[in-house]
Amino acid sequence: MKKIMTIALLSILTLSGCSALEEVNSSLEYADHATEYVNTVKEFANEVPALSQDAVTNGEARANLEKELELMKTEIEEFNAMEPPQTQIAEGIHEKIVSSNQQLSDGIELYLNNIENGQIAPKALEDSEIMNSIDNITGLAKQIEELGN
């Protein structure tokens, strides 16, 4: 009887340890993906204003701008589809990013519609929800880094 209790106790402790380890691994994996996403958003923010400026007079730059905007929408959808780890911190970070992503996606869609209507305005891009949303997302980088530590 004592052996059975010892085995049962060890099994429970082992399973608990595995669960905790899985949670840590899940948090680290999520932090890596979220960091990659934030870096993608930063690159997008650095490239798009110049493309927008060039797109005013250059058809090839306009096509590149549209392509970058569409690619960012795809990145947004892929990130939003991720399942965050079941921790309050990770879920909170994910919720904030998804919320900002919605604004970013809406801003991108509006800007794409403007491009289709021949209204390419670099100043409008800078003042749009696109850049505000990017600031919100990149502002979460420190929280994401802490999640990974």
Side-chain angles (χ1 to χ4, degrees):
M1 181 71 161
K2 204 173 187 181
K3 265 187 184 178
I4 293 174
M5 292 298 280
T6 303
I7 291 172
L9 182 61
L10 285 174
S11 296
I12 290 170
L13 290 175
T14 301
L15 291 175
S16 299
C18 289
S19 176
L21 185 59
E22 286 177 24
E23 188 175 301
V24 168
N25 285 340
S26 179
S27 291
L28 289 174
E29 186 176 309
Y30 177 79
D32 287 344
H33 286 295
T35 299
E36 285 177 33
Y37 178 71
V38 168
N39 289 335
T40 298
V41 171
K42 285 178 184 177
E43 287 176 30
F44 175 79
N46 290 332
E47 293 173 3
V48 168
L51 279 175
S52 178
Q53 190 70 39
D54 293 343
V56 173
T57 58
N58 183 322
E60 186 177 328
R62 176 184 167 177
N64 287 339
L65 175 61
E66 287 177 300
K67 179 182 172 189
E68 288 300 317
L69 293 167
E70 291 292 345
L71 284 171
M72 191 64 227
K73 282 178 55 178
T74 301
E75 292 285 340
I76 290 168
E77 291 168 6
E78 288 174 4
F79 184 85
N80 288 352
M82 284 180 53
E83 285 291 324
Q86 299 294 315
T87 66
Q88 188 175 6
I89 295 170
E91 288 174 342
I93 291 170
H94 191 77
E95 186 177 302
K96 288 176 187 176
I97 294 174
V98 168
S99 176
S100 292
N101 277 348
Q102 183 59 53
Q103 293 173 333
L104 179 55
S105 184
D106 291 347
I108 289 172
E109 192 61 39
L110 179 63
Y111 202 71
L112 282 168
N113 288 336
N114 288 344
I115 292 171
E116 288 298 315
N117 294 327
Q119 302 170 342
I120 302 172
K123 180 70 174 149
L125 175 68
E126 292 174 25
D127 297 336
S128 72
E129 281 298 311
I130 293 173
M131 295 317 228
N132 292 334
S133 300
I134 287 171
D135 289 342
N136 292 339
I137 293 167
T138 57
L140 294 169
K142 183 164 178 63
Q143 290 179 20
I144 294 167
E145 182 181 315
E146 289 173 3
L147 178 65
N149 291 330

